[in-house]
Amino acid sequence: MKKIASFLVLALIFGASSSVVAQSGPSVIKILKVDVNNKLAPPITVNNIVKSSSPSSGEWTAITVRFKVEGVSKKPNALDDGTWLDKVSISWKGLFKARDGKYKKTQKAVKYESLTNGEYYATILVDPSSVNRYLGGVKGAKDLSVYAVFKVDGKTQLDTKIYVQNGKRQKALATG
């Protein structure tokens, strides 16, 4: 029994130290700006392509992160020259106080491929029907708290944690 307990403790220590090593390298993603827009009228378009044609009446809420990918340097292979990232994800987690006074959670992960050095935008849209149902309208959208973090190849990128509350990025809460 002691051998099993010792092995489990050793496995936990090794697992914890290997995850720290995996995350302690330099981040290839840098957060430049976070914007919250509660007044997007449907249909939502990007480059003249309709991204949403929801019949929901009201204004959409959009949270946009402008970020920069820099310093990507991997071993070249048959598919690319070593400057491309294929497994980038942003985990979005939302917390809001619903009209019934209880806190609700929501989450979504968005995955990206074929990113190379340069600037990009990542936007998550909240449908007007969700804003109306859960938050009691656009005025209640300020009560939405959002936490987002970037991962590359499944490893959390240092300094990419984003916390938005009351419609603004909270820098003090974004670190640590």
Side-chain angles (χ1 to χ4, degrees):
M1 190 65 148
K2 286 184 179 181
K3 287 183 181 181
I4 293 173
S6 298
F7 176 75
L8 289 175
V9 170
L10 183 61
L12 286 172
I13 291 171
F14 177 73
S17 64
S18 65
S19 66
V20 170
V21 171
Q23 295 177 10
S24 64
S27 179
V28 295
I29 295 178
K30 179 181 179 186
I31 305 300
L32 300 175
K33 189 173 183 183
V34 178
D35 286 316
V36 179
N37 186 345
N38 291 335
K39 298 181 180 182
L40 291 176
I44 308 298
T45 61
V46 176
N47 296 333
N48 298 323
I49 299 171
V50 175
K51 290 290 184 184
S52 170
S53 59
S54 170
S56 301
S57 62
E59 296 170 328
W60 288 67
T61 296
I63 300 172
T64 301
V65 177
R66 192 176 96 205
F67 65 97
K68 186 175 187 176
V69 176
E70 60 186 1
V72 177
S73 178
K74 303 183 301 188
K75 185 176 179 181
N77 59 39
L79 296 176
D80 67 61
D81 60 2
T83 63
W84 294 90
L85 296 176
D86 287 325
K87 294 181 182 177
V88 177
S89 67
I90 305 174
S91 298
W92 298 89
K93 295 180 182 181
L95 178 68
F96 58 92
K97 188 174 184 179
R99 289 188 276 181
D100 64 2
K102 296 180 181 175
Y103 284 91
K104 311 285 184 193
K105 291 190 292 186
T106 183
Q107 67 182 34
K108 181 171 182 84
V110 182
K111 297 178 181 180
Y112 298 92
E113 292 187 5
S114 299
L115 297 182
T116 190
N117 296 319
E119 287 189 18
Y120 298 91
Y121 292 88
T123 301
I124 190 164
L125 298 170
V126 183
D127 187 291
S129 62
S130 297
V131 172
N132 292 331
R133 178 180 178 184
Y134 299 113
L135 302 171
V138 175
K139 289 182 182 178
K142 68 178 177 20
D143 295 329
L144 177 65
S145 296
V146 176
Y147 173 78
V149 65
F150 282 78
K151 293 183 179 184
V152 175
D153 292 325
K155 298 173 186 160
T156 300
Q157 295 293 287
L158 300 175
D159 302 323
T160 64
K161 296 175 184 172
I162 302 162
Y163 187 73
V164 175
Q165 189 175 33
N166 299 325
K168 296 180 182 173
R169 182 178 183 189
Q170 304 296 318
K171 293 190 179 195
L173 298 173
T175 60

